[in-house]
Amino acid sequence: MIEMHNAIPESPYAGLWAAVALSHGSNEHVRASVILKSVVQRIEKQREIDPERHRMTLASANNNLAVCLIKSKRGDSAAAKLVEAIESCPQVPAVVRSNAHLLNEATSGLSPVVFSPNGRTKLLRALATANSPGSGTEMQGLHYSLDFDLPESFNGAQKISGIDSPRSDLMLLAQGTGFVVAPGLVLTSRQVVETTNYNGPKLLTIVTNPSASTWRSELVESVKIHGVKRYATSATIASYNSGSTAYFTNYVYIPLASGHSDAELAALVVPNLNVSPLEIAKSSPVSGSDLQIVGYGRGKDAITSGLQVERGVVVGNSTTSVSSLSPLTSSFGNSRVMQTTARVMGGNRGAPITDKDNNVVGIAFDTPAGGTNAAGWFFGASELRRWFYKNVQTASILDPDPQKSPAERDAALRSATIPVFCWGLRGPSSQQVFSRLTDSSRLNGSVYIRDGWCVACDGTGFFDCPNKLCNKGAVAGRASRQLGTTVDGTPIRGSTVTREVCPTCRGRGIEPCPHCKGGRL
């Protein structure tokens, strides 16, 4: 990579990767800083001609340079580079925001990294005034980013076909459908995101604009579920035997309340989601009325196959126990569960249900286990609204616009109906790379890599002996000894400097770092 960096003086990419490999792999952060400064200079030279060129790559280079400077305990310089990274993007990348907050916290109080109040103020001001898409991906520790801007002429699909795993060590556990019901909030079926046959950590992703030639995968930051049982044990962070750390979707469980929709619906929080919410009807459909389930199928070609429509009629509704709906509770409480002859078939769980004029009148959530003519269970618009206003306090549902035509509602439906994927680990993971697509006006890709070296001891695993009198494990002492005798033979005694074992480090000259093990966090 370094040879490529030197051979192609106009390109910033090889140097960006080489610097991360040096600092992350062998803790050569000083050498990495030199390369990253060269990368920044190359990008800035090209941006003199095109100010929009390499915008995300510049933010990544400055972010990585800040990480190296933090490891060198140069807080002011690191803060300045993070400010430059913040100011180079229309929205603050999650990794830059995380590193900035970590630098601020790490330099508060006793810390090996110190920077001036002026540097801290500039950093916090830049964070406060920048455009932020939301709370972002929760991250622990310093992270490098390897962002790259794709050319504007790039017209190919970001993913050629099928469903690509966000990480090579993840397997697809379940898939379904969701739809945007409020800014940054996707409503879907609980069964899509819980996958009760898998109890390990999970990662949730959605795909936006799947009908276009180029589409984007977004991470689900958190999911709120009113669970009958705590099937999923996912956490934001999960550590494995190898000592590496992986990041997963954070599940927030709330005790089951009255009304069965609380147990069957899930809200996915996606801060970077830039999709307009759907309008929701004010009342549920009546028995015998026509409806259609607009969702995705199952399998590798679910996205490329596009939205599938299942048509049927409303069979009826129930507020009493329905034993075939296992493994759910035996009573729906106050929830008004409805039945339809349209099929709920796995891939379209969580899909919106519309009437003949494309008004959203409900949400599909499950398939009866048998013993009924109905092919699917759903909640009508009235129950959907009840669930939303009970559980979401920060947004509102859009009422139907009577001026919109069925064609306009269909276009909105196709834009806001999105595939939902639930991923889990194939086995214990040693991989530290976490990939995602970031949000910006230009197409780009990104990889985040966590730095596991201890900043306090600079990766050595040891501190110099804290005893200021210690010199390589020894301290000076005084001993009385005979220096000579007088004329009459009387001994002349005095004290001399002696070299004694340091009582603090017991002669070693160093002490184990209390923050790490062998230099690694």
Side-chain angles (χ1 to χ4, degrees):
M1 283 292 185
I2 294 175
E3 290 178 1
M4 292 174 62
H5 174 70
N6 295 331
I8 312 174
E10 66 274 10
S11 174
Y13 298 119
L16 183 68
W17 284 79
V20 171
L22 284 170
S23 186
H24 172 261
S26 55
N27 202 31
E28 296 182 62
H29 50 80
V30 176
R31 188 181 178 195
S33 297
V34 175
I35 297 175
L36 286 168
K37 289 176 182 177
S38 173
V39 170
V40 171
Q41 290 173 354
R42 293 182 181 189
I43 295 174
E44 289 177 340
K45 185 175 181 180
Q46 295 186 32
R47 283 168 61 86
E48 291 176 359
I49 301 173
D50 179 6
E52 294 299 307
R53 186 171 175 79
H54 293 311
R55 179 173 54 193
M56 295 302 296
T57 312
L58 178 60
S60 183
N62 278 319
N63 171 78
N64 298 347
L65 184 51
V67 173
C68 292
L69 291 168
I70 291 172
K71 293 170 68 174
S72 298
K73 301 179 176 62
R74 297 171 58 189
D76 272 333
S77 299
K81 289 303 172 184
L82 287 172
V83 170
E84 291 182 29
I86 292 169
E87 293 176 346
S88 66
C89 295
Q91 289 187 335
V92 185
V95 65
V96 174
R97 181 176 54 246
S98 175
N99 285 340
H101 284 305
L102 186 62
L103 174 60
N104 177 55
E105 294 169 2
T107 53
S108 299
L110 297 176
S111 170
V113 183
V114 179
F115 67 101
S116 65
N118 185 46
R120 188 192 305 277
T121 300
K122 289 181 179 179
L123 178 62
L124 295 179
R125 182 184 296 119
L127 279 174
T129 57
N131 181 22
S132 177
S135 58
T137 306
E138 185 174 345
M139 311 174 82
Q140 296 289 327
L142 295 171
H143 278 74
Y144 306 97
S145 61
L146 294 166
D147 292 5
F148 54 91
D149 299 76
L150 299 178
E152 287 184 300
S153 59
F154 180 81
N155 294 319
Q158 288 175 231
K159 297 189 177 180
I160 303 302
S161 63
I163 304 165
D164 295 338
S165 172
R167 287 172 35 150
S168 61
D169 56 353
L170 293 181
M171 61 180 176
L172 184 63
L173 302 175
Q175 63 186 96
T177 304
F179 58 98
V180 184
V181 71
L185 195 71
V186 175
L187 194 62
T188 188
S189 169
R190 172 192 61 85
Q191 292 193 346
V192 175
V193 300
E194 265 203 338
T195 57
T196 56
N197 60 338
Y198 180 92
N199 294 323
K202 302 183 187 72
L203 182 91
L204 298 181
T205 61
I206 64 168
V207 171
T208 61
N209 202 22
S211 61
S213 60
T214 301
W215 44 275
R216 182 184 301 277
S217 176
E218 293 285 354
L219 294 178
V220 175
E221 180 188 71
S222 61
V223 52
K224 183 165 70 171
I225 302 175
H226 287 257
V228 178
K229 294 182 180 179
R230 297 196 175 192
Y231 288 116
T233 57
S234 300
T236 304
I237 303 171
S239 296
Y240 301 99
N241 295 333
S242 63
S244 64
T245 303
Y247 297 84
F248 295 90
T249 299
N250 185 30
Y251 281 67
V252 181
Y253 280 96
I254 302 171
L256 175 64
S258 61
H260 210 279
S261 60
D262 287 337
E264 303 314 320
L265 301 183
L268 312 182
V269 180
V270 190
N272 295 327
L273 186 62
N274 187 23
V275 179
S276 299
L278 289 176
E279 299 169 355
I280 308 298
K282 293 185 177 181
S283 58
S284 301
V286 297
S287 180
S289 59
D290 295 327
L291 54 72
Q292 55 188 10
I293 303 174
V294 183
Y296 287 88
R298 300 185 67 178
K300 286 286 185 180
D301 60 348
I303 300 177
T304 54
S305 298
L307 285 169
Q308 308 294 309
V309 177
E310 290 289 326
R311 293 181 171 84
V313 297
V314 179
V315 174
N317 56 66
S318 173
T319 57
T320 59
S321 121
V322 178
S323 59
S324 63
L325 198 60
S326 88
L328 310 178
T329 58
S330 60
S331 173
F332 292 116
N334 298 326
S335 191
R336 193 173 183 83
V337 176
M338 309 189 75
Q339 307 167 44
T340 173
T341 58
R343 292 186 303 164
V344 178
M345 50 184 181
N348 65 4
R349 287 178 301 182
I353 291 181
T354 66
D355 61 14
K356 58 183 178 60
D357 294 322
N358 295 323
N359 294 295
V360 178
V361 295
I363 177 174
F365 73 90
D366 197 20
T367 303
T372 175
N373 293 327
W377 297 108
F378 74 99
F379 293 111
S382 298
E383 182 60 25
L384 190 160
R385 283 173 166 268
R386 187 203 68 80
W387 178 92
F388 184 90
Y389 286 114
K390 177 180 179 180
N391 299 294
V392 179
Q393 308 298 323
T394 57
S396 299
I397 285 181
L398 294 179
D399 293 335
D401 183 355
Q403 303 300 320
K404 282 190 176 180
S405 66
E408 290 175 317
R409 286 192 288 269
D410 179 67
L413 184 71
R414 294 182 179 277
S415 173
T417 303
I418 49 187
V420 179
F421 305 111
C422 182
W423 309 88
L425 285 168
R426 299 178 188 276
S429 172
S430 61
Q431 185 174 347
Q432 292 181 296
V433 176
F434 181 84
S435 63
R436 61 163 292 172
L437 295 178
T438 56
D439 186 13
S440 73
S441 59
R442 284 193 179 186
L443 299 174
N444 58 81
S446 167
V447 175
Y448 295 165
I449 300 178
R450 185 187 181 192
D451 185 87
W453 295 97
C454 178
V455 175
C457 66
D458 197 21
T460 64
F462 296 94
F463 278 119
D464 288 338
C465 178
N467 187 347
K468 295 182 179 180
L469 301 177
C470 178
N471 181 15
K472 297 181 180 180
V475 294
R478 292 279 179 177
S480 176
R481 58 173 294 189
Q482 183 174 334
L483 302 178
T485 59
T486 62
V487 176
D488 60 0
T490 303
I492 301 174
R493 305 194 67 83
S495 63
T496 59
V497 177
T498 60
R499 182 179 176 87
E500 300 177 2
V501 174
C502 174
T504 303
C505 65
R506 295 180 293 281
R508 293 174 299 183
I510 53 176
E511 286 284 281
C513 177
H515 306 290
C516 67
K517 184 177 181 180
R520 288 284 190 169
L521 298 175

